[in-house]
Amino acid sequence: MWNGNSVSNIVLLSYLTPPSPPLAGEGIAILPLQGGNKERVVKMDDFFFVAVLLFFFSSLLFAQNNSTLRGKVVSAEDSSPLVGATVTVNNTSLGASTDADGIFRIKNIPAGMYSLAVSMIGFQRKILEHVRVGSGENHLLTIALSPSPIQANPVVITATKHEQSLEEAPVSMSIVNAHMLEARNTISVDDALRYVPGVNLMQSQVNIRGSSGYSRGVGSRVLLLIDGLPMLTGDTGEITFEAIPVFQIDRIEVVKGAGSALYGSSALGGVINVITKEIPERPITRWRMYAGAYDSPSFSEWKWSSKTRAFNGEFFSHAQRFGGLSLVLSGSRIFDDGYRENDWLRRYDGYAKVKYDFSPFQSLTATTNLFYQYHGDFIWWRNANDALRPDSSQENFSVTSYRTNTSFLFRSFVNDEWYYEVKGIWVTGNWHEDSLAVREANASRSSVADGEIQVSYTPNTQTTWTFGIAGNFDHVISDLFGTHSGFGGALYGQDEIKINDALTTTLGARFDVQQIEGLNSNQQVNPKLGVTYELDPQTHLRASIGRGFRAPSIGELYAATNVSSSSISIVPSTDLRPEHSWTYEVGGTRALLPNLSADVSLFQSDFSGLIEAGVEIDSARNSPVVRFRNVTRARIQGVETNFHSELLDHTLLLDLNYTYNWPYDVGQKAILHFRPRHIASVNATYGYGDVTFGADVRFISRVDAIDENLVQLAPIIDGDTRVPIYVNDVRVVAGLASFGLPLKASFNINNLLRYNYVEIIGNIAPLRNFVLTVEGAL
């Protein structure tokens, strides 16, 4: 069993390219004249002029006929204003967040009767029924939220494709919010996921409860979504976290377990949904700057540079509304010298989001993200005594990548019962690897389009139907994989029934068809069943069963090349079948004390047909080759426990998380490769006035088994060297408002104790480093 690691030499990262330039003649429309066969040329400028006039007058009409809803959200304990609470008008696209005084304003709301939902992390969600809105500005009574002993009780959407509180979700979920990202100076989504219970990463390969192992370069067994739309590379089906604009993230929702009943291929072991921020009501300009440096290596033998290895970056964004039109523009620049030789990085990112509210019940949102990265190519070390230099076969390699993703979302609340949305995303990629000897030694271009129509029907308070249709198209041009296209479609449906005040069931299924041009199609039916039960107001139980699958990527099917860092050849494997999984879980949350809550889960995942790369002797070549095969049947069983406590009048927050995995290869009767058995973390924050202190401790047990074939055949000298992982990070964050400055500064020390470890064989993880960050808003 090899898990495709050999391909990491040639298929490192897939990057997305900008869209093609407009064709000659675009921007001109030819319209037939009335009453004749002649044609006249109409410039797009004419259309633009008419559209601007329509937009202007419709915006005026929209603004004149609607009102403003105003109110204040405070804590029920001491009546202090709550900053950042979310207030939404149910069955509309309207909503707002509270400002520094706890005030919210919801504009452009027609007169009538409404229901409001008010929520904030750490407080109980509140529903206000029969709120009457008259003409002009309407003042509400103050809304008081009661503190909740269960901090992680926000509104989520990923588990069932509609909004619900976290305790109502029938599967285990974890949330990473924007505050956590800012406090830890997160510059890439994978850095944030390292603190999620039950999740570990091997560099950029995400592993939820042992589902993935290590399969870099040949597809992901966890599906990445951005605002509910899939975002995997077209050629290898991988996740590239660095292309996601971290500065625009509102929260990250992590669903643990098979999710193919709603999301299709690649949701074999879980789903990660990155949800971007809503555009605020008031104009705001935000910025962040950071600078840091790596400490010297622990051993003199590792020292390869006499210079301090530094890194720095800047983020900025501006958001503003113009009547029914709202806009946000954002950009970032990241430079990193790298703590290892030939591991430097240069990255630029641009992001734009535009939303137009046709009415309080209909809106259209469009986003685009442009990404460019140029970095050194460090694949594995020279040896354990020279661990910060790359193997001599990799010297002076670099990778250049471009990526874009463009998406749209049209939402419509037809009435109190019917809601639908139409959405799509186009992801393009272009990457190439260079060396001193050969430019574009390896290169790939890919384009992926996904579209979906989703409908929700809520005939009463006990039933919610969710159903839809989805489609995708994939095209790849690569010297590694050839030129190939793939396409697919799906139908899905889900019924959530509230049997009584305590018991809710969720039943659904999805039918998928996926095909690569020239190969047989793959047809899949993936069902799921979930149950939640409120034993009492402090105790919520859940149980679920679901099926997942992952279709082989074009990279796995058609990879055919000689590896640049090895003598091994990779040959096509066009007979691959999809991977499958069944996930079973029972769990629950319990408020043990007013300031202590617990979440416990028992889980089991059965996998079949896992795709792995193995070495065999090719009779025609009379030499070893790498070929992908469906070979592994596996079972992973375990338990996950999470405790949250708020002490000292809610100024000290503690989270203790522990996950135990038993990863067993049923076919080989052995421990699965690259799966740790124990994952634990402790997270603590303490606030004193404008200053917050934080500390994170992570532990990951030593991986029991790795792929010895990879170590021997690559070869990776000392590749079997590995240890348990102990990482300690500390930080202090200070608001400077008391000094009259609208700024916040933070200082982070990562890997405080200078612990040396590897996440993946032959790669020392980041050395201790120090980071100073300053950010502000206008």
Side-chain angles (χ1 to χ4, degrees):
M1 184 171 67
W2 203 5
N3 272 334
N5 293 311
S6 61
V7 188
S8 64
N9 302 313
I10 58 166
V11 187
L12 296 174
L13 294 170
S14 300
Y15 299 100
L16 304 173
T17 68
S20 302
L23 300 174
E26 285 189 357
I28 299 294
I30 301 179
L31 299 180
L33 292 172
Q34 295 286 340
N37 295 324
K38 294 183 179 181
E39 296 176 332
R40 71 181 179 91
V41 176
V42 181
K43 294 183 178 180
M44 282 298 182
D45 292 344
D46 298 337
F47 289 121
F48 178 74
F49 177 72
V50 173
V52 169
L53 287 179
L54 290 174
F55 165 73
F56 177 74
F57 287 114
S58 64
S59 297
L60 286 178
L61 183 63
F62 184 38
Q64 290 173 357
N65 292 338
N66 295 322
S67 307
T68 298
L69 185 62
R70 182 178 182 273
K72 184 174 184 179
V73 182
V74 300
S75 170
E77 281 192 330
D78 55 11
S79 298
S80 61
L82 297 181
V83 182
T86 300
V87 183
T88 57
V89 183
N90 291 331
N91 298 320
T92 77
S93 60
L94 299 176
S97 297
T98 55
D99 60 18
D101 299 317
I103 302 295
F104 68 88
R105 293 176 180 84
I106 302 176
K107 299 179 180 179
N108 300 323
I109 179 170
M113 191 75 72
Y114 295 95
S115 168
L116 301 183
V118 187
S119 62
M120 183 172 180
I121 292 179
F123 291 82
Q124 295 178 11
R125 190 169 183 245
K126 194 167 190 176
I127 303 294
L128 282 73
E129 301 285 0
H130 310 299
V131 177
R132 182 176 294 279
V133 177
S135 59
E137 182 161 324
N138 294 260
H139 295 270
L140 283 178
L141 294 176
T142 299
I143 304 170
L145 298 184
S146 299
S148 171
I150 302 177
Q151 182 197 40
N153 191 29
V155 174
V156 296
I157 194 172
T158 311
T160 57
K161 283 204 170 188
H162 69 82
E163 289 187 350
Q164 60 187 167
S165 65
L166 184 61
E167 63 190 14
E168 295 171 336
V171 295
S172 287
M173 292 186 65
S174 291
I175 311 297
V176 181
N177 59 41
H179 175 73
M180 300 175 187
L181 299 176
E182 293 171 3
R184 294 176 175 133
N185 191 47
T186 304
I187 61 174
S188 183
V189 171
D190 55 323
D191 292 332
L193 294 175
R194 285 177 167 83
Y195 299 95
V196 173
V199 176
N200 73 290
L201 282 92
M202 294 188 172
Q203 291 186 336
S204 61
Q205 183 75 48
V206 64
N207 201 352
I208 298 178
R209 291 178 172 173
S211 61
S212 299
Y214 181 69
S215 56
R216 180 185 176 190
V218 289
S220 173
R221 292 173 180 142
V222 173
L223 177 62
L224 175 69
L225 307 173
I226 183 164
D227 289 327
L229 288 162
M231 190 173 164
L232 299 177
T233 60
D235 43 12
T236 60
E238 287 186 283
I239 296 174
T240 48
F241 290 110
E242 60 269 22
I244 299 174
V246 174
F247 204 47
Q248 294 303 317
I249 294 176
D250 177 68
R251 66 185 186 274
I252 303 170
E253 298 183 0
V254 180
V255 176
K256 303 169 187 180
S260 295
L262 283 178
Y263 295 103
S265 180
S266 293
L268 193 77
V271 178
I272 299 170
N273 191 7
V274 177
I275 299 173
T276 58
K277 294 178 179 178
E278 291 290 337
I279 303 173
E281 283 289 332
R282 295 181 175 181
I284 184 171
T285 299
R286 300 171 56 239
W287 57 270
R288 182 192 304 166
M289 302 174 62
Y290 73 89
Y294 295 102
D295 204 346
S296 299
S298 303
F299 308 105
S300 59
E301 296 89 344
W302 287 7
K303 191 172 180 64
W304 61 275
S305 175
S306 59
K307 298 181 179 178
T308 299
R309 312 304 295 178
F311 52 90
N312 61 80
E314 298 88 30
F315 302 84
F316 76 90
S317 71
H318 177 74
Q320 192 162 351
R321 288 181 180 253
F322 307 90
L325 181 70
S326 51
L327 169 70
V328 62
L329 298 173
S330 177
S332 66
R333 179 199 68 87
I334 296 173
F335 280 18
D336 193 330
D337 293 338
Y339 61 96
R340 302 180 297 184
E341 187 177 31
N342 200 41
D343 197 26
W344 47 268
L345 168 71
R346 304 290 184 264
R347 181 187 303 164
Y348 300 89
D349 186 273
Y351 172 87
K353 184 175 186 177
V354 180
K355 181 181 180 183
Y356 182 67
D357 294 312
F358 297 98
S359 75
F361 312 101
Q362 289 186 331
S363 66
L364 176 64
T365 304
T367 63
T368 187
N369 188 61
L370 310 176
F371 169 83
Y372 167 79
Q373 182 170 272
Y374 178 46
H375 67 90
D377 197 4
F378 189 110
I379 304 175
W380 61 70
W381 62 33
R382 192 164 293 183
N383 56 64
N385 291 322
D386 200 359
L388 301 185
R389 293 178 186 267
D391 185 76
S392 57
S393 62
Q394 309 158 23
E395 289 181 344
N396 300 310
F397 273 63
S398 64
V399 176
T400 303
S401 56
Y402 307 86
R403 166 176 294 185
T404 71
N405 64 82
T406 302
S407 64
F408 73 91
L409 168 63
F410 176 77
R411 307 175 67 192
S412 179
F413 295 88
V414 180
N415 52 42
D416 289 346
E417 297 179 352
W418 289 94
Y419 162 82
Y420 72 89
E421 62 184 36
V422 181
K423 56 188 176 183
I425 188 169
W426 178 40
V427 179
T428 62
N430 185 335
W431 66 266
H432 61 84
E433 186 181 45
D434 301 323
S435 68
L436 290 179
V438 182
R439 176 168 174 79
E440 298 193 12
N442 296 306
S444 182
R445 288 187 294 159
S446 63
S447 179
V448 184
D450 287 90
E452 182 178 347
I453 300 174
Q454 177 186 325
V455 180
S456 293
Y457 174 53
T458 309
N460 50 58
T461 57
Q462 285 74 42
T463 304
T464 300
W465 283 90
T466 303
F467 51 92
I469 182 172
N472 63 277
F473 177 78
D474 185 1
H475 184 65
V476 174
I477 302 174
S478 172
D479 58 358
L480 301 173
F481 318 120
T483 300
H484 302 282
S485 297
F487 53 91
L491 297 169
Y492 64 87
Q494 173 187 268
D495 186 16
E496 184 176 291
I497 304 174
K498 192 173 182 63
I499 297 175
N500 53 46
D501 290 342
L503 180 63
T504 301
T505 63
T506 304
L507 178 65
R510 173 167 166 146
F511 173 70
D512 276 270
V513 178
Q514 296 290 329
Q515 182 170 11
I516 303 297
E517 188 175 10
L519 301 180
N520 293 330
S521 64
N522 294 309
Q523 301 179 11
Q524 309 290 323
V525 176
N526 297 285
K528 74 167 187 175
L529 173 65
V531 178
T532 60
Y533 183 73
E534 183 179 326
L535 188 64
D536 57 54
Q538 287 76 41
T539 309
H540 295 81
L541 306 178
R542 63 180 180 270
S544 64
I545 177 174
R547 189 173 190 253
F549 90 101
R550 184 181 75 87
S553 67
I554 288 177
E556 290 165 305
L557 292 165
Y558 290 104
T561 185
N562 289 320
V563 179
S564 57
S565 305
S566 176
S567 60
I568 305 174
S569 297
I570 301 174
V571 297
S573 308
T574 55
D575 58 346
L576 291 176
R577 305 180 309 278
E579 301 175 325
H580 294 100
S581 69
W582 280 97
T583 298
Y584 315 87
E585 181 191 24
V586 293
T589 60
R590 170 73 178 174
L592 303 174
L593 297 170
N595 58 359
L596 177 64
S597 62
D599 187 301
V600 179
S601 299
L602 299 174
F603 59 87
Q604 175 175 310
S605 295
D606 293 327
F607 299 91
S608 61
L610 292 184
I611 296 172
E612 298 180 358
V615 179
E616 59 187 58
I617 301 298
D618 186 281
S619 57
R621 306 184 186 202
N622 195 28
S623 61
V625 297
V626 172
R627 192 188 305 273
F628 293 101
R629 288 286 183 260
N630 298 92
V631 295
T632 303
R633 289 176 54 237
R635 171 170 293 168
I636 299 176
Q637 298 171 315
V639 59
E640 184 173 300
T641 60
N642 309 303
F643 294 90
H644 173 74
S645 181
E646 300 186 7
L647 306 172
L648 304 179
D649 197 22
H650 304 289
T651 59
L652 176 61
L653 308 182
L654 290 173
D655 289 284
L656 290 82
N657 311 300
Y658 171 71
T659 303
Y660 174 76
N661 292 311
W662 175 252
Y664 189 64
D665 187 324
V666 177
Q668 298 293 324
K669 300 187 184 306
I671 297 297
L672 280 172
H673 292 175
F674 299 111
R675 271 86 167 180
R677 294 199 202 183
H678 306 275
I679 304 173
S681 64
V682 179
N683 314 110
T685 59
Y686 174 69
Y688 183 79
D690 293 332
V691 181
T692 301
F693 302 90
D696 302 302
V697 179
R698 292 185 290 128
F699 165 74
I700 301 174
S701 63
R702 182 179 183 271
V703 171
D704 291 301
I706 63 171
D707 190 347
E708 297 294 345
N709 286 331
L710 174 61
V711 174
Q712 296 172 9
L713 296 175
I716 304 176
I717 301 174
D718 301 323
D720 59 350
T721 301
R722 58 194 188 278
V723 295
I725 296 175
Y726 301 90
V727 183
N728 300 269
D729 303 329
V730 296
R731 61 188 176 275
V732 57
V733 182
L736 304 180
S738 57
F739 297 96
L741 298 174
L743 302 176
K744 183 168 63 175
S746 64
F747 182 68
N748 298 57
I749 304 177
N750 301 311
N751 196 1
L752 175 68
L753 303 181
R754 300 182 74 186
Y755 188 75
N756 299 306
Y757 64 97
V758 298
E759 286 187 333
I760 187 61
I761 56 177
N763 282 263
I764 289 290
L767 308 179
R768 180 168 65 184
N769 57 86
F770 310 89
V771 191
L772 177 64
T773 305
V774 179
E775 59 184 288
L778 301 173

